[in-house]
Amino acid sequence: SGPQASPVVVRYGPASDRFLTCQLIQAGEQLLLMVRDVTREARLEAMRKDFVANASHELRSPLTVVSGYLDQLAEDPAMDSDWHGPIEEMRRQSERMRLIVEDLLELSRLEASGKEAPREPVDVGGMLALIRKDVMARDTRPQQVVLRLDSSARLLGSESELHSIASNLVSNAVKYTPAEGSVEIRWWTDRDGGHLSVSDTGMGIPAEHLPRLTERFYRVDRGRSRRSGGSGLGLAIVKHALQRHGGHLTIDSVEGKGSTFTCHFPAKRIEAESGKAAAAG
Ligand code: ADP
């Protein structure tokens, strides 16, 4: 058989309430059209998305109440000192729950907001500089966090989603790299488009985990991720937001040496530098 185009999903029926996938497959001289009714799968998928969105939304208010009281207890001078440790731990855990709920909501929003991200011109260099500044203010971080801007081209996309992509990758690099290590954040463009990479000299990831790394809640080492306060959803968000920009993620990593996560954006998402051309002419 020849090259396979990926299946296309179409709605049909009087109320457009059924879903089909259609796929053209070349088999020697002939072309085969494969049509499959995927209505059941599509409905289950919609139910799953609704459930996750509703459950995370519902969890938000009770969590806010619990954290609020825990904050008050932590500051109460009359509190027995035996309780200081447990209360601190409860605060850490409720903060983790809050982060998981926020990340679940963000994923739900990405899934609900259609296929294509908007095309706002985003100053990638400025955005990365702010993210770096936040990292530098942290108590624990690798000693060197370098920003390398090889392009001033703006990216046409959703500012908040691009920020989320970059800050998730930078946070991971910082989390999984020891204090004596270093992190490099880079933005460059070439004829293929724009590229944003985050490299670290951290612990790296064994090759067998790489294909599954962007799945929800997939962690190389559960204990390590929990200790560092990760939700396990960061890379799933990165992948989803990138797809909405027509981009994709590549991961290069050597265990014990470090990792490089690179986001590739298509050329049509890079703003033509018309301002500069006009000024020069
Ligand atoms: P988490 O919130 O657990 O960091 P992510 O989805 O962001 O979740 O990442 C998934 C897993 O990939 C992490 O648990 C970690 O094991 C691994 N990982 C991600 N980034 C790095 C990195 N820069 N270095 C080493 N491991 C990483």
Side-chain angles (χ1 to χ4, degrees):
S1 67
Q4 253 178 265
S6 52
V8 181
V9 181
V10 290
R11 285 176 152 212
Y12 81 109
S16 293
D17 60 348
R18 304 197 67 79
F19 293 86
L20 297 178
T21 59
C22 305
Q23 186 172 20
L24 260 186
I25 299 172
Q26 191 164 16
E29 297 281 284
Q30 290 174 324
L31 277 180
L32 293 178
L33 176 63
M34 265 195 11
V35 180
R36 218 159 62 85
D37 186 331
V38 290
T39 308
R40 209 179 109 80
E41 286 95 319
R43 286 198 187 138
L44 279 174
E45 180 63 9
M47 269 169 60
R48 180 192 66 77
K49 285 181 191 167
D50 278 355
F51 174 76
V52 174
N54 292 336
S56 351
H57 198 80
E58 292 296 328
L59 283 170
R60 221 181 186 178
S61 343
L63 256 176
T64 311
V65 175
V66 172
S67 328
Y69 279 123
L70 284 172
D71 288 347
Q72 275 184 25
L73 282 178
E75 277 153 27
D76 185 350
M79 178 60 65
D80 193 305
S81 66
D82 285 355
W83 276 100
H84 288 170
I87 287 175
E88 263 321 298
E89 181 60 13
M90 284 193 270
R91 280 174 91 187
R92 261 198 299 279
Q93 297 299 338
S94 69
E95 174 60 13
R96 255 195 73 211
M97 274 198 262
R98 195 187 62 79
L99 287 177
I100 294 175
V101 167
E102 290 303 323
D103 279 357
L104 278 173
L105 281 170
E106 185 168 355
L107 259 180
S108 300
R109 270 196 298 273
L110 285 173
E111 283 180 334
S113 49
K115 254 183 125 63
E116 285 262 327
R119 296 169 64 85
E120 307 152 8
V122 177
D123 168 21
V124 182
M127 180 183 84
L128 294 177
L130 283 179
I131 291 176
R132 177 179 177 274
K133 202 172 142 208
D134 284 347
V135 167
M136 296 308 280
R138 294 194 199 180
D139 296 335
T140 47
R141 58 163 172 88
Q143 56 180 5
Q144 258 196 345
V145 181
V146 182
L147 177 57
R148 184 172 152 197
L149 296 175
D150 291 327
S151 167
S152 57
R154 296 198 294 181
L155 186 52
L156 301 172
S158 146
E159 169 126 44
S160 63
E161 288 174 37
L162 294 171
H163 186 274
S164 172
I165 290 174
S167 64
N168 269 304
L169 292 179
V170 173
S171 297
N172 277 350
V174 168
K175 253 188 325 198
Y176 301 114
T177 304
E180 60 278 14
S182 63
V183 170
E184 185 188 76
I185 311 166
R186 189 177 164 216
W187 166 242
W188 76 102
T189 48
D190 57 22
R191 39 208 271 253
D192 297 330
H195 313 271
L196 192 169
S197 72
V198 181
S199 307
D200 64 61
T201 60
M203 52 195 21
I205 303 154
E208 70 266 24
H209 293 286
L210 294 181
R212 298 195 54 194
L213 216 57
T214 57
E215 287 174 20
R216 282 151 210 236
F217 297 116
Y218 189 85
R219 294 173 176 111
V220 174
D221 172 343
R222 295 207 151 249
R224 183 172 92 195
S225 161
R226 287 228 176 92
R227 276 193 301 283
S228 57
S231 70
L233 292 166
L235 290 178
I237 292 176
V238 168
K239 183 181 166 185
H240 224 91
L242 257 177
Q243 275 171 355
R244 282 175 31 83
H245 288 82
H248 66 279
L249 179 72
T250 54
I251 310 172
D252 296 296
S253 188
V254 180
E255 200 179 355
K257 288 256 155 71
S259 320
T260 298
F261 289 75
T262 312
C263 305
H264 305 274
F265 296 91
K268 64 174 196 285
R269 286 273 179 187
I270 305 301
E271 188 179 56
E273 295 195 51
S274 56
K276 277 192 184 158

